[in-house]
Amino acid sequence: GNSVTQMEGPVTLSEEAFLTINCTYTATGYPSLFWYVQYPGEGLQLLLKATKADDKGSNKGFEATYRKETTSFHLEKGSVQVSDSAVYFCALTSGSARQLTFGSGTQLTVLP
Amino acid sequence: DVKVTQSSRYLVKRTGEKVFLECVQDMDHENMFWYRQDPGLGLRLIYFSYDVKMKEKGDIPEGYSVSREKKERFSLILESASTNQTSMYLCASSWTGNRETQYFGPGTRLLVL
């Protein structure tokens, strides 16, 4: 079956630091890959996605590249802000399935 | 603007009570989902529905049932609440034409005593 493994948190960074959150996956077929973000007290929002190998998803300064050879989709941002403090979830969907398979989530705290 | 609403943000119930969690979306989406979110486990799919009166089990359906009588509304039912059902419950919806993008509600934090 499908599964997603994320680096464990929590992650604490200073403002303007470089961020990497690792995500690897196991899936049958050719999955689409996603990063969702959950700000405090809110539901999840789609942050970015990539639908095929070597695609790069980007949004709000965040990037992730779909690496089929390493089955990875690591999230990166060059300079984090306090407002980026949230929980980040890596997810995938593949084949005809409509549902998402999520990783366990990574709590990010950015200090001023 | 896209909107998914859930009937309660916080709910406290007693063991054995019947609990209804309601979710409404205003986007005319065909697909609706119920997840529970627990620390260290991420989101796990309980049930989903791809049409009115249609439902499919997700990864953890035991102890839950669902109802979808109208397209915009998807209800999660705990027939007899237990303490291990204390969790955050998230509803989501998606459009079949772009089914990979799900829109989430704010969640209901349920405490079963």
Side-chain angles (χ1 to χ4, degrees), chain A residues 76-99:
Chain A
E76 296 182 337
K77 187 174 186 183
S79 176
V80 293
Q81 305 300 312
V82 172
S83 57
D84 293 326
S85 298
V87 182
Y88 292 82
F89 293 91
C90 186
L92 66 82
T93 186
S94 64
S96 60
R98 293 174 174 86
Q99 61 265 46

Side-chain angles (χ1 to χ4, degrees), chain B residues 29-44:
Chain B
H29 284 171
E30 296 86 358
N31 309 307
M32 296 187 75
F33 307 82
W34 275 107
Y35 297 89
R36 63 177 282 176
Q37 180 181 5
D38 299 289
L41 297 177
L43 278 74
R44 294 177 291 167

Side-chain angles (χ1 to χ4, degrees), chain A residues 32 34 36 38 41 43 89 99, chain B residues 9 37 40 45 100 102 104-105:
Chain A
S32 295
F34 305 81
Y36 277 80
Q38 185 178 33
F89 293 91
Q99 61 265 46
Chain B
R9 293 300 298 269
Q37 180 181 5
L45 182 66
E100 294 181 340
Q102 294 188 14
F104 283 81

Side-chain angles (χ1 to χ4, degrees), chain B residues 7-8 11-22 55 63-67 75-83 85 89 108 110-113:
Chain B
S7 50
S8 306
L11 212 49
V12 180
K13 297 291 182 182
R14 298 219 172 262
T15 302
E17 280 192 78
K18 190 169 186 175
V19 181
F20 292 88
L21 303 182
E22 303 284 337
K55 62 185 179 185
Y64 303 95
S65 62
V66 290
S67 172
S75 302
L76 180 69
I77 303 155
L78 287 66
E79 294 289 342
S80 178
S82 63
T83 55
Q85 292 178 309
Y89 291 87
T108 295
L110 173 66
L111 173 62
V112 182
L113 301 174

